[in-house]
Every structure is written in structure tokens, then in C-alpha cells.
Amino acid sequence: METLLQVLRAAGETTRLRLLAILSESELSVSEITHVLRQSQPRVSRHLKLLSDAGLITRFREGSWVFYRLETRGPFGQLAHTLMDFLPPDDPVVMRDRERLADVRAERSELAAEYFKRNAAEWGQVRALYVSEKDVEAAVTAMVGDEKVSVLVDLGTGTAQMLELLAGVADTAIGYDTNHDMLNIARANLEQKGLSHCHVRYGDILSMPEPAASADIVIIHQVLHYLDDPRSAVQEAARLLKPGGRLLIVDFAPHEIEALRERHAHRRLGFPRSEMADFVSAAGLEMAAVRDLAPGEDDTAQLTVSIWLAAKGAAGDALATPSRPGTKQSVKESA
């Protein structure tokens, strides 16, 4: 009872209720919070510490920046959201805070759009080399299925493409990346889509802050070919999986386009099935299915996209997905 009273006291103050309100809508840095609340940084930091110590908000570091968001897990995460249900939406103070929060979001979106515009040509060159993104997304969706899970983690999330695609199958979806510009784009994308249960964080794919056996699904989408040690990334992904959890890897089949190594920092020119099977086995997983999306005869693309589905402590046959006839690509699949 005393712990509950301490948590309620932490929330029972005007500025801290305002903090809970804006953090329920967006994850924000301290500087962004001071802009919204129009209060000094020392005062804001003091209130943030009280709420964080009470377990009502969560604090996470992204390089030299620190971000905050309303807690979604833990014993008092539900309490924090319940308090927000009772906050009058037409309160004039809350309404002004939301107006300034909209300004912060708009500025964030503009910065993300500028970065995307500067790099769009480079990304477009690579995407033109393989089958359409819609076809890849359709295959990913089919292999993941529509059964609801608790936690989905996307390693090397980039612009949060996979979080957007699979948001409907997870209660909580978290994407990690080490590129700050990409994380800005991802946050803007998720906010524009209203995906409040999807978050992005700064994190190294080889050393994740998530605890072991915490995720139902882990995604590694078009990341392994950039790494010096892709085997270790698969092992780290396996560490995150709960028993019965699934790992989905999307990357290129072996190819000989050296320009991707020279101009786009690809360390590996695709992965043969045998090598990926070795990665999966060494990580203590079972390969459940493999699907290749190869360009059609009339397609100008040159690369085959491979999708591997592995499971932790579950029979692979139950997870294999049959190929769909009549697609544009040639599809090969094995269990």
C-alpha cells in the first residue's frame, strides 16, 4: 500500500500530470519537453526523475540524448495509462501543451524528410535491383501470420518499415538502430500512422539492451549484409527469443554485384542457404522455412531476396508457409 501511495503522490502534481499527458502521446527529449511545458530544464529534470523513480515513465538513452515515454510495462505502466483516461481532454493547460507538442512533431518530421530526401536516390538505386517492396512485404506478412503476440523486436529498424508492416500482430513492437537520422525518420513515421504501441530505440544489434527470452518475434530485415559478423547478430537475436519464439531474416541470396560493396557499404554479397542454416543452428534455433523471391524473366531487377524463418524450441513444420501460386516472382521454399 505504501508503494502505491508513493506512486500516486508522484503523479499528483500539476506539472507531473502534464508530463504524463504529453509522454502518453510521444517519446520526447528533455529539450523538447521544456519547449512544450515552457519550464526550465532543471525543473523539468527534477519532475522527470520523480516520475521515473515511481515507474510511471521510462527513460532511455540514444547516444548523447535521453528520451522519455509513458511506461508501458512494469507494475505501474497500466496505472499511468489509467490516469490518462481520467484527464479531461478539454483542459486548457493540456490543450496548449498539445498544441506545442504538435509543433515539436512537425519540426521532427521536417528534419526526417530532409534526411530522407538527401538519401532517397541512393536507397532507390539499391531497391531497383530486387523485386518490388510490396512483394517482399506480402511474403513477410504471410510467413509471420496474423496470430497476436506480446512483443515484437526489429533489429536494425531503419525507417521502421517492418514495425509499420507488422504493427497489427504485436501488443508492443520495438525497433532498434544506431543511426540517429534513421531513428528520427522512424519516430516521425510511427507518429504519423498513430502507432502508439510501436517504439524505436538506440541499440547495437550485437549487444541489445532487451533481456533474454523477452520477445515472441524478432526481425532482421536487410541488415546482415552490412555486418562484419552476421553470425553474432543471429545469436543475439536468438537470445532475445522466448521458447517457441520466431526469428525472421530478410536478406539477399548470393550475387556478384560488386558495386554494392564499393558504393553502398555492403560487407557481404548475399547469403547461401547453407550458411544461413549454419547461423541458425549455431544459435540454437530450428529452420522452419525458406522462401526465395527471384526476379521474373521480364523484370529488370537482378537480385533474389531470401526470407528465412527459424523457431526456438518449436517444430519447424508447424511454422512453414506454403508458397502462393501465380505471383510475379519465381518462389522456392523448403522446410
Side-chain angles (χ1 to χ4, degrees):
M1 183 180 294
E2 182 57 33
T3 301
L4 177 59
L5 287 172
Q6 290 177 359
V7 173
L8 291 173
R9 291 189 193 104
E13 193 274 338
T14 302
T15 297
R16 292 197 285 275
L17 271 177
R18 292 170 64 193
L19 276 168
L20 292 175
I22 62 172
L23 293 177
S24 70
E25 298 188 27
S26 182
E27 51 191 36
L28 301 167
S29 67
V30 176
S31 62
E32 290 172 332
I33 293 170
T34 59
H35 175 83
V36 173
L37 297 188
R38 294 291 196 265
Q39 295 186 10
S40 68
Q41 182 167 328
R43 183 177 181 183
V44 166
S45 295
R46 185 170 65 253
H47 287 303
L48 288 169
K49 186 178 187 308
L50 287 169
L51 292 172
S52 181
D53 289 345
L56 292 170
I57 64 174
T58 183
R59 176 185 186 276
F60 57 95
R61 181 170 292 278
E62 186 175 298
S64 60
W65 290 49
V66 175
F67 284 83
Y68 292 86
R69 189 180 180 93
L70 202 67
E71 181 60 77
T72 56
R73 299 187 239 183
F76 298 113
Q78 183 177 354
L79 174 60
H81 287 271
T82 300
L83 289 173
M84 294 303 93
D85 291 337
F86 287 96
L87 193 65
D90 58 350
D91 180 90
V93 175
V94 174
M95 291 176 68
R96 284 196 297 272
D97 287 346
R98 285 183 175 142
E99 290 173 359
R100 289 190 286 265
L101 177 59
D103 293 338
V104 168
R105 285 174 157 176
E107 182 179 358
R108 184 186 290 172
S109 295
E110 288 176 8
L111 292 173
E114 288 176 7
Y115 177 83
F116 188 86
K117 185 177 181 180
R118 290 197 305 270
N119 293 274
E122 179 179 332
W123 296 337
Q125 289 172 6
V126 177
R127 287 183 175 178
L129 293 173
Y130 59 91
V131 295
S132 78
E133 203 66 42
K134 287 184 178 180
D135 292 332
V136 175
E137 290 182 352
V140 167
T141 301
M143 293 185 80
V144 169
D146 55 8
E147 182 179 350
K148 196 82 168 183
V149 299
S150 177
V151 179
L152 180 148
V153 175
D154 182 24
L155 304 183
T157 194
T159 61
Q161 176 189 356
M162 289 293 105
L163 294 187
E164 290 184 41
L165 178 68
L166 301 172
V169 304
D171 294 328
T172 300
I174 308 172
Y176 286 92
D177 208 294
T178 55
N179 187 307
H180 296 289
D181 291 309
M182 287 292 191
L183 289 171
N184 287 335
I185 293 174
R187 283 196 184 92
N189 288 343
L190 296 174
E191 287 180 351
Q192 289 172 2
K193 299 292 193 307
L195 300 175
S196 59
H197 67 298
C198 297
H199 320 294
V200 291
R201 302 282 185 269
Y202 180 89
D204 184 348
I205 191 172
L206 299 179
S207 181
M208 299 302 302
E210 291 286 320
S214 60
D216 301 284
I217 298 174
V218 175
I219 310 290
I220 306 179
H221 176 260
Q222 298 290 15
V223 174
L224 292 184
H225 58 252
Y226 289 110
L227 304 181
D228 288 325
D229 189 8
R231 176 190 294 267
S232 292
V234 174
Q235 290 176 340
E236 179 67 356
R239 182 187 70 83
L240 300 182
L241 286 175
K242 300 175 183 177
R246 293 170 289 165
L247 169 63
L248 188 85
I249 300 171
V250 182
D251 218 294
F252 296 124
H255 62 86
E256 297 180 359
I257 305 179
E258 285 290 341
L260 290 179
R261 198 196 313 269
E262 298 164 0
R263 301 176 191 171
H264 301 285
H266 287 207
R267 304 290 294 179
R268 296 292 306 274
L269 299 183
F271 297 91
R273 289 191 177 201
S274 58
E275 184 176 27
M276 193 62 73
D278 180 52
F279 290 171
V280 166
S281 177
L285 306 178
E286 295 181 41
M287 190 69 79
V290 183
R291 186 171 181 181
D292 291 333
L293 303 180
E297 293 181 1
D298 299 328
D299 203 327
T300 57
Q302 305 171 55
L303 297 175
T304 293
V305 174
S306 295
I307 306 175
W308 295 269
L309 182 67
K312 186 173 188 176
D317 289 345
L319 294 172
T321 303
S323 60
R324 295 181 176 180
T327 56
K328 181 180 178 181
Q329 314 91 327
S330 63
V331 177
K332 299 177 183 178
E333 182 165 329
S334 67

